[in-house]
Amino acid sequence: MFQYSKIMKNKLSQKIISLLLIIAACFACFFFASQKRISPKTESFQGYYFNTVVSFTFYNEKDASLHEECFSLCQHYENLLSRTVEGSDIFNINHSNGEWISVDAETYALLQIAAQFCSQTDGMLDYTVAPLMDLWNFTGSESEKKPPEHALIQKALADVDYQKVELSDGKVRLINPNAKIDLGFIAKGYIGDKIRDYLISQNVESAIINLGGNILTIGQKPDGKPYQIGIRNPKDKNTYLDTLSVTNQCVTTSGTYERMFLYDGIVYHHILDPGTGMPIDTGLVSVTILSDDATTGDALSTACLLLGTEKGLEFIKSFPNTNAIFVETDGTITSTLP
């Protein structure tokens, strides 16, 4: 009897130990599964808006579902600001025959900012450059790409003058009915800022927005390290000239290599001099701006490329917490970074 009782106790002890091990194992599985669910997980999403590839990268999987609203915002702003989308504010202005047009408050605000940059650069930035852009047709098929005739350029130049646009109480009027507005030098930066504002309002702490060369960062990576943003080599798209460590700032690059074509051995790029109607030649191939907001960075990258290194360096001095990297055609790099 004693032996039987002892054996039963031993078996009971073994069962209890086995049960405890099973419970511990289940707890461990639950713990690690929970850890997997809450640990950071990078997810990226791509789309095509503003005639370029856009992407959103989230460093916490809880934020990934917000990409749908980001794409919705892209569509909203394209419908609002694109001059090629029928019914957009800019389309309506350009087809108004000089009549006053009421526009959305955001469109009006962006036009005011754009007009200020046009004035500050003495017209080197000019948001009425659309007639020239249409003439050059950099977005057309390869077979269509060739330099316009000189007479046609001169005719288009007559319709380029940012001072011939009136802004008043939420309304816009083209004093010259043949003028056309193009916000290409600033719109993507503005849209990027609006999307970043939305993500921050949703408590996103780590993310990257990339709107075709306009890169905006939110916070830093979950491991506490800054983002590493490469500056592309204009002569080799697969390599980088340098890498910037960025936290909660924007990196915007404008380059003569982005949209261009070769004709009779000569390269023609899409950044046009509003004074001559020809692709600008200041000895620069790209300008990268590091700034707190992408609206400023977008405008400055194009402005500095149009102004050239010397004038560009002087121009950005009036913008606090802003740095620039100028890359010249001979490979010379000039940077204001410390």
Side-chain angles (χ1 to χ4, degrees):
M1 183 71 178
F2 174 78
Q3 287 181 339
Y4 175 77
S5 177
K6 186 175 182 179
I7 292 170
M8 290 298 293
K9 286 181 179 179
N10 287 339
K11 287 185 176 180
L12 182 60
S13 297
Q14 290 174 357
K15 286 183 178 180
I16 292 173
I17 292 170
S18 297
L19 182 60
L20 290 172
L21 289 173
I22 291 171
I23 292 172
C26 289
F27 177 78
C29 289
F30 172 77
F31 177 77
F32 286 119
S34 296
Q35 285 292 93
K36 184 178 180 181
R37 282 196 294 271
I38 65 174
S39 64
K41 180 181 178 183
T42 303
E43 293 192 49
S44 293
F45 305 87
Q46 283 192 343
Y48 193 84
Y49 298 89
F50 326 120
N51 202 31
T52 191
V53 175
V54 306
S55 67
F56 304 99
T57 300
F58 301 94
Y59 286 82
N60 287 288
E61 58 184 329
K62 68 178 180 63
D63 301 326
S65 62
L66 298 174
H67 78 277
E68 294 182 358
E69 181 61 24
C70 291
F71 287 133
S72 295
L73 287 170
C74 286
Q75 190 63 67
H76 165 72
Y77 284 111
E78 185 157 38
N79 292 341
L80 193 67
L81 302 174
S82 172
R83 70 183 180 91
T84 60
V85 174
E86 187 171 351
S88 76
D89 278 349
I90 304 304
F91 181 94
N92 291 340
I93 294 169
N94 291 345
H95 293 79
S96 65
N97 294 316
E99 298 295 325
W100 284 101
I101 297 293
S102 295
V103 298
D104 185 272
E106 288 193 280
T107 304
Y108 191 79
L110 182 56
L111 285 169
Q112 288 181 307
I113 297 170
Q116 185 175 2
F117 273 106
C118 292
S119 177
Q120 288 175 317
T121 59
D122 294 325
M124 286 305 291
L125 281 177
D126 193 316
Y127 62 1
T128 62
V129 75
L132 285 171
M133 296 300 293
D134 287 340
L135 193 60
W136 279 90
N137 192 27
F138 286 100
T139 59
S141 64
E142 292 302 317
S143 61
E144 297 175 322
K145 293 179 180 178
K146 63 178 182 179
E149 295 179 6
H150 178 73
L152 293 176
I153 292 175
Q154 295 304 307
K155 182 179 178 181
L157 281 172
D159 298 323
V160 177
D161 185 353
Y162 74 93
Q163 297 183 80
K164 297 299 177 66
V165 179
E166 282 190 284
L167 304 172
S168 179
D169 296 326
K171 296 181 179 180
V172 185
R173 184 173 79 93
L174 300 176
I175 298 174
N176 176 0
N178 296 321
K180 290 182 180 179
I181 290 175
D182 186 325
L183 294 173
F185 74 84
I186 199 171
K188 284 190 296 182
Y190 177 83
I191 295 165
D193 284 334
K194 292 299 180 180
I195 294 173
R196 185 171 69 162
D197 289 345
Y198 163 72
L199 291 177
I200 291 173
S201 76
Q202 300 302 304
N203 300 315
V204 173
E205 297 178 350
S206 299
I208 293 179
I209 301 163
N210 187 346
L211 304 186
N214 290 261
I215 299 174
L216 302 88
T217 65
I218 296 176
Q220 56 191 359
K221 292 191 290 186
D223 61 6
K225 295 180 180 179
Y227 304 101
Q228 300 301 308
I229 308 298
I231 300 177
R232 198 168 76 179
N233 184 347
K235 296 182 179 180
D236 182 358
K237 296 181 180 181
N238 298 315
T239 63
Y240 296 98
L241 293 176
D242 199 359
T243 301
L244 302 177
S245 294
V246 181
T247 297
N248 212 34
Q249 281 194 298
C250 308
V251 179
T252 307
T253 298
S254 291
T256 59
Y257 54 85
E258 292 174 352
R259 290 180 186 170
M260 42 79 73
F261 62 84
L262 184 68
Y263 188 84
D264 283 349
I266 300 175
V267 175
Y268 298 90
H269 61 79
H270 78 295
I271 300 179
L272 303 177
D273 183 339
T276 66
M278 296 294 292
I280 194 73
D281 182 10
T282 57
L284 286 169
V285 66
S286 74
V287 176
T288 296
I289 300 292
L290 181 63
S291 58
D292 289 334
D293 69 282
T295 305
T296 298
D298 200 7
L300 286 182
S301 63
T302 305
C304 288
L305 202 150
L306 285 162
L307 292 169
T309 303
E310 185 177 347
K311 292 181 179 179
L313 286 169
E314 186 64 28
F315 185 55
I316 66 169
K317 287 181 180 179
S318 59
F319 297 89
N321 203 27
T322 300
N323 284 285
I325 300 169
F326 299 80
V327 182
E328 299 184 24
T329 53
D330 63 2
T332 300
I333 299 175
T334 303
S335 174
T336 65
L337 288 167

